[in-house]
Amino acid sequence: MPNGSLSLPARLCLLAWDPAGSTATDTARAQHLVRAGALTELVQRGLLTDDEGIATPADLDSGTGDAVLDGLLELVRESLPHRWRTWVRLHARVTFDAVREQLVAEGYLRAEKRRVLGVFPSVEYVLAREAAARALREEARRVLEGPQPAGEVSERDAALAVLAAAAGLGVPGDPVSGVRGRERITELTRRCVSAASAAPGMRKIVGEVWDAVSDEGARAPASARG
């Protein structure tokens, strides 16, 4: 996928912006999506493992060098044990905001200062690199719909496509409907992490995102859905 230097949560955050309107499609779902991406990358790096449904740090010292990922890892270490479902939602906005600032620093988003009602200061974030967001959407769709065997898709690309489809953000159309679509999602989910011990955690993360999307999508107007 393009923009390969970006972390998985950063790519998912960029995917949540609508190139047509240059605005975030659905902030609540985007927050859960980005947090799930951060958890997933920590799983893929072997820094978070699944212990009977509990997100568990592999050790007390390792890090990634990425401020957002390391911040979440430290939060998990310092907090009471929680299941994956809880970590997808718990303080998810903190991770979303931090990733968004990373995208601003990298030039993918632009922070524009505004005044609400001409008085109250506000900041609006808009796409600065629309082509990058469009490319991510198209590549996610190709991974979901394309002929490439799931085993040949990189773990990060598989995770991005599966989580984007789960959240209903950034993937045009409905590429995962029907039996073949569900089979493809299953194949890509297995591919998300190669370590067998991490797979249960990945399934819980993806399942939680599906649940969050289902709950919020039922309340959202059709025009607000990705």
Side-chain angles (χ1 to χ4, degrees):
M1 276 191 177
N3 313 302
S5 63
L6 294 175
S7 69
L8 178 58
R11 295 165 84 198
L12 286 165
C13 189
L14 182 61
L15 198 72
W17 254 262
D18 179 9
S22 296
T23 58
T25 56
D26 184 321
T27 301
R29 282 185 291 168
Q31 290 171 12
H32 295 155
L33 175 64
V34 170
R35 169 58 70 79
L39 290 167
T40 300
E41 181 149 349
L42 289 173
V43 170
Q44 290 179 330
R45 289 172 180 247
L47 297 176
L48 278 183
T49 61
D50 182 75
D51 183 5
E52 297 184 354
I54 301 296
T56 305
D59 59 59
L60 298 178
D61 300 314
S62 299
T64 67
D66 180 284
V68 173
L69 295 175
D70 289 342
L72 176 56
L73 186 58
E74 190 64 23
L75 180 62
V76 176
R77 285 171 176 155
E78 293 179 350
S79 302
L80 294 172
H82 291 298
R83 295 186 174 275
W84 298 102
R85 174 181 295 271
T86 300
W87 278 120
V88 168
R89 290 192 172 101
L90 187 64
H91 306 306
R93 186 176 187 87
V94 173
T95 299
F96 178 84
D97 288 349
V99 170
R100 185 176 59 189
E101 292 304 320
Q102 282 186 334
L103 291 174
V104 170
E106 293 289 332
Y108 289 91
L109 299 178
R110 183 173 61 254
E112 297 183 346
K113 294 182 179 180
R114 304 283 177 86
R115 285 193 177 274
V116 179
L117 301 176
V119 177
F120 304 104
S122 178
V123 177
E124 182 177 339
Y125 295 87
V126 299
L127 274 175
R129 295 172 60 178
E130 294 183 13
R134 292 182 190 278
L136 274 174
R137 287 179 175 227
E138 184 55 36
E139 188 61 23
R141 180 163 150 169
R142 281 200 295 270
V143 169
L144 288 166
E145 296 181 323
Q148 184 180 18
E152 296 178 7
V153 177
S154 73
E155 291 180 5
R156 291 184 73 208
D157 286 357
L160 184 139
V162 167
L163 290 172
L169 294 173
V171 183
D174 187 14
V176 294
S177 62
V179 174
R180 174 55 192 150
R182 290 191 295 271
E183 290 177 349
R184 180 66 169 175
I185 285 292
T186 299
E187 294 168 357
L188 290 170
T189 301
R190 291 195 186 112
R191 177 59 184 150
C192 285
V193 281
S194 57
S197 61
M202 175 63 68
R203 288 195 293 271
K204 292 177 187 298
I205 291 170
V206 174
E208 169 57 23
V209 175
W210 276 111
D211 290 344
V213 171
S214 177
D215 293 343
E216 292 161 8
R219 295 192 296 268
S223 60
R225 298 172 189 164

